[in-house]
Amino acid sequence: MTLWTAVLAASVVCLALKATGYLVPAHWLDAPRPARIADLLTVALLAALVVVQTLGAGQAVVVDARLPAVGVAAVLLWVRAPFLVVVVGAAVTAALLRVCGWAS
């Protein structure tokens, strides 16, 4: 199978999935349980993305300056610091650790 065939097949599958979503009766989606599942699924996918981007390097798990930077960002978010402070704090943490030699 060529790459373009795979891309076209994936596009058709995505379009079919989206069209199927419009066919689901509205009262099924208005129930509290599906709404709660959708909310939790969004948070779980975002958390998985953060973990993969923090610890992933190809097929390997790498602990480098990104992990403490995410930890600093989490602490700053926990104390309700402004978003710009969170980003700058995490960037400064990663930069200082990389200058000290802890980088991949």
Side-chain angles (χ1 to χ4, degrees):
M1 181 176 348
T2 66
L3 178 63
W4 283 110
T5 306
V7 168
L8 290 174
S11 300
V12 169
V13 169
C14 287
L15 182 64
L17 258 161
K18 188 169 181 100
T20 304
Y22 287 114
L23 299 175
V24 174
H27 70 274
W28 286 5
L29 301 175
D30 291 338
R33 189 172 193 179
R36 178 88 172 131
I37 290 171
D39 289 343
L40 293 176
L41 188 62
T42 304
V43 172
L45 288 172
L46 182 58
L49 177 65
V50 168
V51 169
V52 168
Q53 291 297 314
T54 302
L55 297 175
Q59 295 292 326
V61 174
V62 177
V63 177
D64 60 3
R66 294 176 291 179
L67 187 60
V70 170
V72 167
V75 169
L76 289 172
L77 284 171
W78 182 59
V79 298
R80 299 190 185 263
F83 185 70
L84 186 59
V85 173
V86 172
V87 171
V88 170
V92 167
T93 301
L96 288 175
L97 288 172
R98 286 183 174 151
V99 165
C100 293
W102 195 29
S104 61

